[in-house]
């Protein structure tokens, strides 16, 4: 057959095929565009996939469920979640080498039944970069009006920076470990992000925090993050060197800013607002800071430096009583086994921590400062100048200081008896209050109203906090401002992206 004849036959075949395709007996719906096949592997015995989205557990690149329906699922690919609303199910790990990007304005609802949590493992990245007008929201999947602390797990970032235990298992139950030698490690971006109603207690006294940061490095960007109604701590750092700005801890259950295991980063501009009905059985504090659990003198020490923080305690509520009858959870009690307790201090620094805080305001707690020496030697660090609190103002506290956990009097603790009960000398003021008042720029005001703060945190014109700052002992990372506390008069950094009534928000 010559070329001309061959081409003619081919034309006849193509015409016949076209006629067959148009037959009324063979009509088919056009298929969806090819979005790529799912590549499955295993990781530590768990199912792992390079795609993240599913529909009722089935592969579907256009689905709206994050996770395949298993309690633990490993994401190994690189994927962008387009702006939309998604349901997070189970514990979803972003594995080493994987990268998840979330577009501004996206809402991710955590499933209650599966204790949903998003966990970034060492070498993985989460790029959650919202904006003031389009924040990214992680919240409860429960209906409006019935959301509670502990409705889902929370958000965990782990990295390769240093901690003082070399390698650690992350708190809260997931398999993930953190730690290494790269303090500049990059776990991604959290910017203009809200995290609400998290902290599911998967076992008694084992909840995931609102935002948990395990050995996260300074290459990670964290700013403008609000954690609301966490069933454990709002923010907790375990080692690492990440720097953070513009943090809001709103009505958390336990502590607001918890620092452990050698965290050495910087934090500037933070707001804490407490719910007078919510406090943990362990006693709730603004700061709770440890070097390590047993107080050992191991390095790297917890040397984080905070500046321009405003702590608003439960005494802003004029009806507040620091009793377990009053602190009953109110309409936010999840009745999930999380035990309620009492409020304690704006700042509890213990177990050999060397935490530093400058240019800060704390109002309305039972106790201002506790330098606890039961384990380790925090008071020794204070005496040696290894722990600095300067330009810190307390107002409306019952006592300025106490020397021991659950001691609500300003008396000197001289030691501990055989049952680990503190021995006190009521004729002397506590080490904590005496030391605090001897530090540069520190003040104690009798009443919250003395500071002229609107809503307990925003300085009114003429407030003494407005021109009280000093940055003489702070590094170049810190933005130098004239005021102490988190806000200038009329400051707007909360505007647009925060939400102080997430219970009634339509998501």
């Amino acid at each position: 057959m010559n070329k001309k004849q061959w081409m003619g036959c081919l034309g006849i075949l193509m015409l016949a095929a076209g006629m067959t395709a148009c037959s009324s007996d063979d009509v088919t719906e056009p298929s969806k565009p090819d979005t790529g096949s799912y590549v499955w592997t295993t990781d530590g015995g768990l199912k792992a996939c390079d795609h993240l989205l599913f529909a009722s557990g089935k592969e579907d690149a256009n689905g709206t469920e994050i996770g395949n329906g298993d309690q633990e699922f490993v994401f190994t690919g690189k994927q962008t979640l387009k702006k939309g609303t998604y349901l997070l199910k189970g514990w979803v790990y972003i594995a080493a080498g994987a990268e998840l990007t979330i577009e501004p304005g996206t809402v991710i609802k955590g499933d209650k039944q599966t204790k949903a949590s998003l966990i970034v493992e060492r070498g993985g990245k989460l790029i959650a970069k919202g904006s003031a007008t389009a924040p990214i929201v992680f919240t409860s999947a429960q209906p409006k009006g019935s959301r509670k602390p502990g409705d889902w797990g929370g958000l965990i970032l782990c990295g390769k920076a240093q901690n003082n235990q070399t390698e650690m298992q992350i708190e809260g139950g997931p398999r993930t470990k953190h730690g290494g030698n790269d303090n500049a490690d990059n776990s991604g971006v959290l910017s203009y992000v809200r995290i609400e109603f998290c902290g599911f207690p998967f076992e008694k006294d084992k909840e995931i925090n609102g935002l948990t940061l395990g050995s996260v490095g300074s290459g990670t960007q964290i700013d403008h993050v609000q954690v609301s109604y966490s069933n454990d701590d709002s923010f907790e750092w375990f080692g690492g060197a990440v720097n953070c700005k513009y943090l809001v801890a709103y009505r958390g259950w336990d502590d607001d800013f918890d620092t452990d295991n050698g965290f050495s980063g910087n934090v500037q501009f933070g707001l804490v607002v407490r719910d007078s009905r919510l406090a943990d059985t362990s006693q709730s504090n603004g700061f709770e800071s440890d070097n390590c659990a047993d107080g050992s003198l191991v390095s790297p020490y917890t040397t984080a430096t905070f500046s321009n923080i405003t702590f608003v305690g439960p005494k802003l509520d004029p009806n507040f009583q620091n009793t377990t009858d009053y602190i009953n959870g109110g309409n936010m009690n999840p009745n999930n086994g999380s035990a309620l307790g009492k409020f304690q201090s704006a700042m509890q620094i213990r177990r050999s921590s060397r935490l530093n805080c400058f240019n800060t305001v704390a109002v309305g707690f039972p106790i201002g400062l506790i330098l606890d020496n039961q384990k380790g030697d925090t008071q020794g660090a204070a005496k040696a100048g290894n722990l600095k609190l300067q330009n810190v103002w307390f107002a409306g506290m019952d006592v300025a200081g106490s020397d021991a956990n659950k001691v609500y009097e300003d008396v000197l603790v001289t030691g501990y008896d055989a049952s680990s009960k503190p021995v006190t000398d009521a004729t002397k003021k506590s080490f904590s209050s005496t030391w605090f008042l001897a530090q540069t720029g520190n003040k104690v005001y009798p009443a919250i109203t003395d500071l002229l703060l609107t809503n307990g945190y925003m300085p009114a014109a003429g407030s003494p906090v407005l021109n009280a700052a000093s940055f003489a002992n702070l590094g170049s990372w810190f933005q130098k401002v004239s005021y102490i506390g988190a806000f200038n008069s009329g400051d707007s950094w909360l505007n647009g992206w925060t939400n102080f009534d997430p219970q009634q928000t339509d998501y």
Side-chain angles (χ1 to χ4, degrees):
M1 182 183 293
N2 62 32
K3 182 176 180 181
K4 186 173 182 179
Q5 290 173 319
W6 181 83
M7 291 295 292
C9 290
L10 180 61
I12 293 169
L13 288 170
M14 291 176 67
L15 178 63
M19 292 174 66
T20 302
C22 293
S23 166
S24 61
D25 294 333
D26 252 340
V27 173
T28 58
E29 293 294 326
S31 60
K32 291 182 180 179
D34 182 11
T35 54
S37 59
Y38 283 51
V39 178
W40 289 89
T41 54
T42 59
D43 187 317
L46 302 176
K47 291 180 183 177
C49 186
D50 66 340
H51 281 58
L52 192 71
L53 292 178
F54 295 80
S56 299
K58 296 179 180 179
E59 295 180 9
D60 187 345
N62 297 308
T64 58
E65 291 183 6
I66 301 172
N68 69 330
D70 288 355
Q71 183 58 50
E72 295 183 89
F73 166 80
V74 183
F75 170 60
T76 59
K78 292 188 178 181
Q79 191 166 346
T80 295
L81 290 185
K82 298 296 183 182
K83 179 182 176 181
T85 300
Y86 300 86
L87 179 65
L88 174 66
K89 300 186 78 171
W91 290 355
V92 174
Y93 300 97
I94 300 175
E99 186 174 305
L100 174 63
T101 300
I102 302 175
E103 289 192 342
T106 294
V107 176
I108 296 176
K109 298 181 178 182
D111 177 59
K112 186 171 184 176
Q113 183 177 358
T114 59
K115 313 173 185 65
S117 304
L118 187 61
I119 303 131
V120 181
E121 302 203 285
R122 285 184 292 193
K125 285 186 181 179
L126 173 63
I127 312 296
K129 193 169 186 178
S131 69
T133 55
I136 294 166
V137 182
F138 295 86
T139 192
S140 167
Q142 297 299 106
K144 169 180 159 181
S146 61
R147 300 164 187 148
K148 299 288 179 68
D151 275 351
W152 62 289
L155 186 57
I156 297 173
L157 269 63
C158 289
K160 301 176 183 178
Q162 291 182 324
N163 64 68
N164 59 26
Q165 304 296 304
T166 306
E167 183 178 72
M168 299 183 66
Q169 182 78 35
I170 198 63
E171 183 179 77
R175 69 175 190 171
T176 308
K177 294 183 179 180
H178 60 94
N181 293 304
D182 184 4
N183 275 352
D185 187 39
N186 183 356
S187 296
V189 178
L190 289 181
S191 182
Y192 292 101
V193 169
R194 296 204 306 266
I195 305 167
E196 303 167 347
F197 302 107
C198 47
F200 194 105
F202 78 99
E203 290 181 19
K204 182 177 175 57
D205 297 326
K206 289 187 178 180
E207 303 93 352
I208 295 174
N209 302 297
L211 176 58
T212 304
L213 299 161
S215 302
V216 175
S218 62
T220 308
Q221 177 186 339
I222 296 181
D223 64 82
H224 297 89
V225 178
Q226 178 180 14
V227 176
S228 301
Y229 293 106
S230 171
N231 205 179
D232 195 26
D233 300 330
S234 294
F235 296 84
E236 185 159 11
W237 294 262
F238 294 93
V242 65
N243 299 316
C244 308
K245 277 190 175 181
Y246 303 112
L247 306 183
V248 180
Y250 185 64
R251 300 197 169 196
W253 191 278
D254 194 3
D255 306 310
D256 300 293
F257 297 138
D258 194 337
T259 54
D260 306 284
N261 296 113
F263 173 47
S264 62
N266 300 313
V267 180
Q268 188 176 22
F269 305 119
L271 172 63
V272 167
V273 178
R274 297 301 306 220
D275 185 319
S276 65
R277 299 277 185 173
L278 294 176
D280 191 66
T281 185
S282 66
Q283 316 289 294
S284 291
N285 306 284
F287 280 146
E288 183 179 83
S289 185
D290 303 342
N291 193 50
C292 60
D294 64 2
S296 295
L297 299 175
V298 293
S299 63
Y301 288 92
T302 298
T303 56
T305 300
F306 288 74
S307 184
N308 297 97
I309 311 299
T310 296
F311 295 94
V312 181
K315 292 181 65 184
L316 195 69
D317 176 354
N319 299 313
F320 172 70
Q321 299 173 47
N322 203 19
T323 66
T324 52
D325 287 336
Y326 184 86
I327 302 171
N328 59 13
N331 60 6
M332 281 293 171
N333 192 340
N335 296 311
N336 61 8
S338 296
L340 290 153
K342 297 169 69 176
F343 282 96
Q344 188 163 249
S345 67
M347 303 178 180
Q348 183 182 29
I349 306 174
R350 60 184 190 174
R351 299 177 182 174
S352 299
S353 171
R354 298 180 179 183
L355 189 77
N356 304 287
C357 185
F358 299 83
N359 303 317
T360 283
V361 173
V363 302
F365 282 82
I367 303 167
L369 171 67
I370 301 174
L371 295 177
D372 186 338
N373 240 33
Q374 184 174 13
K375 296 180 180 180
D377 190 14
T378 304
Q379 294 178 8
K383 289 177 185 176
N386 294 323
L387 182 163
K388 293 182 176 66
L389 302 180
Q390 297 179 1
N391 270 29
V392 176
W393 291 10
F394 293 156
M397 308 295 186
D398 293 337
V399 296
S402 166
D403 285 346
N405 199 50
K406 301 183 181 180
V407 172
Y408 286 83
E409 298 174 291
D410 191 354
V411 296
L412 184 68
V413 170
T414 59
Y416 291 83
D417 64 19
S419 63
S420 297
K421 183 179 179 180
V423 178
T424 62
D425 180 351
T427 67
K428 297 178 181 177
K429 293 288 189 181
S430 66
F431 172 89
S432 301
S433 65
T434 303
W435 178 85
F436 177 81
L437 287 169
Q439 305 310 299
T440 302
N442 291 353
K443 295 184 180 181
V444 176
Y445 288 81
I448 297 172
T449 53
D450 291 337
L451 299 184
L452 299 178
L453 301 175
T454 305
N455 296 328
Y457 60 85
M458 188 65 70
S463 171
V465 308
L466 289 174
N467 294 292
S470 172
F471 287 82
N473 294 314
L474 288 167
S476 60
W477 179 86
F478 288 92
Q479 179 184 339
K480 293 173 175 56
V481 296
S482 62
Y483 52 91
I484 68 170
F487 304 98
N488 200 0
S489 182
D491 208 332
S492 61
W493 66 259
L494 295 175
N495 291 358
W497 66 279
T498 56
N499 185 353
F500 294 98
D501 189 15
Q503 179 67 273
Q504 299 303 323
T505 301
D506 291 310
Y507 287 123

